[in-house]
């Protein structure tokens, strides 16, 4: 009713039965929403979200059977369900023959390198899956390289999340291979490489690929080790790249010099980028003001996130002016100006590119545009 959606009698009946079981004090809950019941009119389930439960590998087997039997399911969210390598293998193999699932979230299930290899092999066969989230799954170097190799041939996947693999070594092999993939792949729209231990050399590898890539619109390289030298490469590629619309650089270390390199490009050359996050990059007033100045001449950049840096009064005044003149909408940034004793300050606001990636708010919309601007600007997959 809150979503103004039609109430499905079949689903309502099932949920009322669950309420009766809960009143009896039963701890475990089983939802039987089989779509082939002949005893009553049904509406088949197209999306299933069972995040943050304890399905484990046994539950993964049931999920695999669901994929094999339910030919209307387009979205499945299994994030943080204690599924291991064996469960990952079962689900990946079930997707060999599946032709309907578009978006799968396995976030936080420790399928490790073994499970990751099965998913990479699956992408050689499956031709329907459009978005795959394997963030925080303890993937190893071998499986990351396998994904990079497979995606040179797979034309269906539009969004891939490989956040926080378990990598060893200082050679940045994963970044090198993913960079090679981006040179060949012209279909991927969203790529997440948070916590890949990317340094300046790895950033250069990615930027070299972005000169040739003409499909990627959303790049997440947050929580890495990129400094001002890496920003030189990115600023240079943004002069000619005409597809990137959202870049997440949060929790790197670009500092003032890196921020100024980006601001110069955004002010005079790039007219494609819509959203930029430089949260917690050790940027001081000089760099933050430069970024604010670039917005005055760049009509395309609409979202900027700066919290966690070193604000001075010039910074506070600059962003306050952008908001008050209407150039920067309050929902499109993570700061809000206020005045005390004639001095302007900035307070944090709960907006961002992906605020509700891991959690659902206690009130309000979970997929609000202000809190999840990246998904709004570059929509890849449903139920984001």
């Amino acid at each position: 009713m809150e979503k103004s959606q039609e109430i499905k009698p079949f689903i309502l009946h099932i949920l009322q039965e669950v309420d009766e079981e809960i009143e009896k004090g039963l701890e475990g809950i089983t939802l039987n929403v089989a779509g082939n019941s002949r005893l009553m009119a049904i509406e088949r389930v197209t999306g299933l979200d069972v995040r943050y439960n304890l399905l484990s590998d046994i539950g993964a087997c049931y999920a695999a059977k669901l994929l094999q039997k339910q030919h209307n399911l387009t979205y499945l969210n299994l994030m943080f369900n204690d599924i291991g390598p064996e469960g990952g293998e079962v689900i990946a193999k079930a997707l060999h023959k599946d032709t309907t699932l578009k978006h799968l979230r396995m976030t936080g299930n420790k399928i490790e390198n073994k499970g990751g290899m099965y998913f990479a092999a699956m992408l050689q066969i499956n031709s329907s899956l459009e978005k795959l989230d394997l963030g925080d799954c303890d993937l190893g170097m071998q499986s990351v390289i396998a994904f990079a190799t497979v995606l040179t041939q797979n034309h269906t996947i539009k969004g891939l999340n490989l956040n926080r693999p378990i990598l060893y070594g200082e050679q940045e092999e994963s970044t090198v291979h993913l960079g090679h993939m981006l040179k060949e792949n012209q279909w991927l729209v969203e790529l997440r490489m948070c916590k890949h231990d990317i340094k300046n050399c790895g950033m250069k590898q990615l930027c070299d690929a972005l000169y040739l890539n003409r499909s990627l619109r959303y790049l997440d390289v947050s929580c890495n080790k990129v400094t001002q030298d890496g920003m030189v490469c990115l600023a240079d590629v943004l002069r000619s790249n005409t597809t990137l619309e959202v870049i997440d650089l949060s929790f790197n270390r670009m500092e003032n010099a890196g921020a100024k390199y980006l601001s110069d490009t955004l002010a005079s050359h790039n007219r494609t980028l819509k959203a930029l996050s430089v949260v917690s990059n050790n940027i001081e007033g000089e760099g933050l003001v430069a970024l604010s100045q670039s917005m005055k001449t760049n009509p395309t950049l609409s979202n900027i996130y700066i919290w966690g840096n070193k604000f001075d009064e010039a910074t506070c005044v600059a962003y306050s002016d952008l908001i008050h003149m209407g150039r920067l909408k309050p929902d499109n940034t993570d700061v809000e100006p206020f005045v005390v004793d004639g001095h302007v300050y900035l307070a944090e606001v709960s907006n961002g590119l992906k605020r509700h990636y891991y959690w659902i708010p206690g009130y309000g919309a979970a997929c609000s545009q202000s809190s999840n601007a990246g998904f709004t600007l570059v929509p890849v997959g449903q139920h984001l």
Side-chain angles (χ1 to χ4, degrees), residues 277-324:
S277 177
V278 294
V279 170
S280 296
N281 262 273
N282 201 38
I283 307 172
E284 298 175 345
E286 185 181 358
L288 293 169
V289 170
L291 286 171
S292 73
Q293 292 296 323
S294 69
M295 294 195 73
K296 294 182 178 180
T297 57
N298 185 319
T300 311
L301 186 64
S302 60
N303 298 57
I304 188 165
Y305 304 95
I306 63 170
W307 188 258
N309 292 293
K310 300 178 180 179
F311 299 163
D312 59 7
E313 189 162 5
T315 300
C316 299
V317 170
Y319 285 88
S320 176
D321 289 346
L322 283 178
I323 293 172
H324 287 144

Side-chain angles (χ1 to χ4, degrees), residues 99-116:
T99 58
T100 57
L101 193 71
K102 301 294 184 183
H103 183 185
L104 174 64
R105 289 198 69 177
M106 289 290 293
T107 323
N109 292 298
K110 309 307 180 185
I111 63 173
E112 301 176 356
N113 193 68
K114 177 183 176 182

Side-chain angles (χ1 to χ4, degrees), residues 109-113 116 134-145 147 161-169 172-175 178 192-198 220 222-224 358:
N109 292 298
K110 309 307 180 185
I111 63 173
E112 301 176 356
N113 193 68
L134 295 176
D136 304 289
C137 285
D138 288 2
L139 301 178
M141 180 68 74
Q142 184 184 13
S143 55
V144 172
I145 293 174
F147 279 110
N161 187 332
L162 298 176
N163 286 351
R164 212 220 68 188
I166 304 299
L167 305 176
Y168 300 97
E172 299 188 70
E173 293 96 330
S174 67
T175 312
L178 288 169
R192 298 186 177 276
M193 299 177 62
C194 175
K195 299 180 183 177
H196 267 245
D197 202 26
I198 300 173
D220 182 352
S222 58
C223 301
N224 283 294
Y358 289 109

Side-chain angles (χ1 to χ4, degrees), residues 6-239:
E6 179 186 357
I7 296 176
K8 306 296 185 181
F10 172 59
I11 304 296
L12 180 61
H13 173 72
I14 296 298
L15 294 178
Q16 287 172 339
E17 289 185 343
V18 170
D19 285 339
E20 293 175 2
E21 291 186 6
I22 293 174
E23 289 178 0
K24 295 177 182 177
L26 300 178
E27 294 183 0
I29 297 174
T30 299
L31 288 179
N32 183 359
V33 287
N36 60 348
S37 173
R38 298 182 181 180
L39 300 179
M40 60 187 301
I42 63 167
E43 298 80 17
R44 301 199 174 190
V45 174
T46 57
L48 183 61
D49 186 338
V50 290
R51 73 183 90 178
Y52 293 99
N53 283 290
L54 297 171
L55 298 185
S56 72
D57 288 342
I58 297 174
C61 294
Y62 288 107
K65 291 180 180 179
L66 178 69
L67 290 170
Q68 292 168 345
K69 295 181 179 181
Q70 176 58 274
H71 300 302
N72 294 77
L73 196 66
T74 59
Y75 170 69
L76 180 59
N77 189 338
L78 298 172
M79 67 185 292
F80 290 96
N81 260 291
D82 202 26
I83 298 173
E86 289 72 23
E89 176 185 352
V90 172
I91 293 173
K93 288 183 175 179
L95 289 172
H96 283 198
K97 297 181 180 180
D98 183 272
T99 58
T100 57
L101 193 71
K102 301 294 184 183
H103 183 185
L104 174 64
R105 289 198 69 177
M106 289 290 293
T107 323
N109 292 298
K110 309 307 180 185
I111 63 173
E112 301 176 356
N113 193 68
K114 177 183 176 182
M117 292 300 291
Y118 282 108
F119 273 96
M122 175 271 294
L123 291 183
Q124 292 181 299
I125 302 170
N126 183 287
S127 59
S128 63
L129 195 65
E130 295 181 1
K131 186 165 185 177
L132 177 61
D133 189 335
L134 295 176
D136 304 289
C137 285
D138 288 2
L139 301 178
M141 180 68 74
Q142 184 184 13
S143 55
V144 172
I145 293 174
F147 279 110
T149 304
V150 169
L151 286 182
T152 59
Q153 302 297 324
N154 185 299
H155 298 182
T156 310
I157 287 288
K158 300 296 188 297
L160 180 65
N161 187 332
L162 298 176
N163 286 351
R164 212 220 68 188
I166 304 299
L167 305 176
Y168 300 97
E170 298 293 327
Q171 302 303 313
E172 299 188 70
E173 293 96 330
S174 67
T175 312
V176 171
H177 285 274
L178 288 169
H180 287 316
M181 178 272 291
L182 287 174
K183 292 180 180 179
E184 302 292 331
N185 185 299
Q186 299 299 324
W187 304 274
L188 193 67
V189 174
E190 174 189 337
L191 178 62
R192 298 186 177 276
M193 299 177 62
C194 175
K195 299 180 183 177
H196 267 245
D197 202 26
I198 300 173
K199 304 179 185 67
N200 292 328
C201 180
M203 194 64 186
K204 184 178 185 306
Q205 293 281 346
L206 290 177
C207 289
D208 288 345
L210 292 173
Y211 282 111
L212 303 175
N213 185 278
R214 288 295 178 267
S215 66
L216 197 70
R217 296 169 57 198
Y218 193 144
L219 176 64
D220 182 352
V221 286
S222 58
C223 301
N224 283 294
K225 299 177 180 179
V226 184
T227 68
Q228 63 184 53
D229 292 339
M231 292 303 110
V232 173
C233 300
L234 181 60
D236 194 51
V237 78
L238 286 177
R239 291 172 177 262

